[in-house]
Structures are given as C-alpha cells and as structure tokens.
Amino acid sequence: RGAPRKAGMNKIVVHLAAFGLLSILAGCATSGPKGTDVTRFHLDKPIAPQPVNIEAADSNAADSLAFNSYSNIIAAELKKIGLEQVAGDSAALLAVVNVTRSMQQAPPKRSAFSIGVGGGSYGSGGGIGAGVNMPVSGNDKYNGVFVTELEVKLIERETNTVTWEGSAMRATPSGGGNATEVVQQLATALFQDFPGESGTTVTVN
C-alpha cells in the first residue's frame, strides 16, 4: 500500500515542477528589455553653473518640431545642474544633442558612441529622427522593440573641447510610449547624479 502512495506523490511533484517551468517560460516570453543604459565620459573637473546654447548634431534637423521638443527636455534637465539655456550662439558652453530611434529584432546594441572628451576636433554629425533598422536575428524575445538613444556633448566653444559627453539608451516594446516620452526618460537618467562616473555604464530603471 505504501508504494502506490509514493508514486502518487511523485506525480504531484512532477506536475508542480512542470507548472513552475511553464511559469518561468511564460515570464521569459512576456518580459522585455527594461531600464535605461547610461554611459558617461568627462574630464573629472567641475562644470560651473553658466549659460548654455543647445544645438542639434544634425543642422538639418535644427528647425524640426521633433528637435524643438527634445531641446526643451534637455534644457530643463540642464537647468537642474546649473546650466541655463540662452538664445543665440554666444554662450561659452555648447550642448550638442543627438537622438536616434530605430526598430530592432536583435538585442539592442549601441550606436558607435564616439569618445571625444578632452579633444579639440568636434564636428557635427549624426542626426535626429526615426530611422528604421531591421537586423537579422533569431532571438524572438526582442522582436518589435524600439531602441531610442540620446547623446549629449558639452563643448567649450572657445577651445572646441568636449568636457562631458553621455549616452542613454532604452528599448521599449511597440506601443510602449511615444518618442518624446522616451526621450524624457533618457534625459532624466542621463543627467542623474551628474556628472556621473566616467567610463562606466549603469542601468537606471
């Protein structure tokens, strides 16, 4: 009589184990990339409160509605750290902003983020828009995610030296917020604990 009971208990254990495995798999299937990956580089010296001009990395996008929206977001975050936007191009400090947004099937990868801190050879490049990129991948977990990346460089106008630069990237599922909302999340994460630890990538939820 003892043996059948043991067999029945084994069946219950197997069923529970199977249920647990299915729950784990279901969780993996529904979970997506979370958090904002932030990387910053700087010269490890204070940036004094001062006026700042904000420009688009792509001059062709400077007058677009999208850039105006992003610029307002960046201006609000810069003001929190003592850098207040002023009109024109006379400020000694320049903030160059670049936003890219793409659809990816593979796990999100950063763009070629340039490290120009301390250099004197800044030149405009990149762009602001919503390009679509569909790399080939067998990883269905990332199907249909939008990857948005914000890059900001703080440049001393007189010497053309990059004193601080940062990049923030976030992947969101289709329908997971419009570009402006996501850029706001990126900007908040990027300037959190400014200037941040140089050369380190952190994830901000």
Side-chain angles (χ1 to χ4, degrees), residues 107-199:
K109 295 181 179 180
R110 287 188 173 278
S111 64
F113 181 49
S114 64
I115 303 174
V117 173
S121 58
Y122 166 73
S124 296
I128 293 181
V132 176
N133 180 29
M134 297 292 288
V136 177
S137 171
N139 189 341
D140 291 335
K141 176 180 177 182
Y142 291 94
N143 276 353
V145 298
F146 285 99
V147 177
T148 308
E149 186 168 11
L150 167 67
E151 296 170 291
V152 178
K153 296 177 184 287
L154 297 180
I155 302 165
E156 294 179 353
R157 190 185 297 274
E158 184 177 356
T159 61
N160 204 29
T161 299
V162 179
T163 61
W164 182 95
E165 65 178 324
S167 172
M169 182 185 73
R170 188 177 185 91
T172 53
S174 178
N178 62 41
T180 302
E181 292 173 343
V182 176
V183 170
Q184 177 64 74
Q185 293 175 320
L186 295 177
T188 300
L190 183 59
F191 292 103
Q192 181 175 304
D193 300 324
F194 180 87
E197 186 175 349
S198 185

Side-chain angles (χ1 to χ4, degrees), residues 71-89:
S71 176
N72 289 336
I73 291 172
I74 300 303
E77 294 300 323
L78 289 176
K79 187 175 182 178
K80 294 177 184 178
I81 59 174
L83 305 177
E84 187 156 3
Q85 182 185 20
V86 294
D89 57 0

Side-chain angles (χ1 to χ4, degrees), residues 31-66:
S31 64
K34 297 180 180 180
T36 299
D37 290 337
V38 176
T39 305
R40 293 166 285 201
F41 295 91
H42 54 79
L43 299 178
D44 198 24
K45 67 177 185 178
I47 297 177
Q50 59 184 293
V52 63
N53 295 139
I54 299 177
E55 292 185 2
D58 180 3
S59 58
N60 294 323
D63 296 325
S64 69
L65 292 176

